Amino acid sequence: MSLNDLRTRASTVDRAKLDATTDEDIRRHKAEDGYGDMFLPETVREVVPPKALRIRLALTQQEMADALRIPVGTWRNWEQGRVALDPAARSLLTIVQTNPEIALGALRISNET
């Protein structure tokens, strides 16, 4: 199958069902598959997907990229999953996720000096 075939092929994902899936549904499915007892240590934080973080902060892609002082193309690649987040980018997004006002404020101040 060619790349063009893949691009024009209709999706088989039921988006409505996916969007309707709750956290409780996910926990139940994990338990049914034998992964229900798996947990992350308290010291580990899952990184919010870039798009979800940006939407939570009510910023456009350009505003988010400007706030992080990165090219908007880099942000778009992260959001669309074309480029995996490297450890430094994951750390940056974790900091922004944890306390956006302080993180973005610090980036803004360091950009002004």
Side-chain angles (χ1 to χ4, degrees), residues 12-109:
T12 58
V13 175
D14 183 347
R15 290 284 177 195
K17 185 176 181 180
L18 187 63
D19 291 339
T21 302
T22 65
D23 288 340
E24 182 54 39
D25 293 330
I26 293 169
R27 281 190 285 279
R28 189 181 75 256
H29 294 153
K30 284 175 60 177
E32 290 169 358
D33 292 340
Y35 298 104
D37 58 348
M38 293 183 72
F39 65 94
L40 292 173
E42 288 185 23
T43 56
V44 175
R45 293 185 185 198
E46 292 185 74
V47 176
V48 171
K51 184 175 183 178
L53 178 60
R54 177 180 62 80
I55 290 170
R56 191 180 99 203
L57 297 176
L59 298 173
T60 66
Q61 288 181 332
Q62 186 66 58
E63 290 168 337
M64 191 70 178
D66 290 346
L68 298 179
R69 299 172 30 196
I70 61 172
V72 70
T74 298
W75 182 262
R76 286 184 183 132
N77 286 336
W78 289 351
E79 268 198 22
Q80 296 169 4
R82 287 192 291 246
V83 175
L85 295 169
D86 62 31
R90 280 195 311 273
S91 295
L92 175 61
L93 295 185
T94 299
I95 292 167
V96 172
Q97 169 189 335
T98 303
N99 198 326
E101 296 82 18
I102 291 175
L104 297 177
L107 287 168
R108 194 170 32 257
I109 289 169

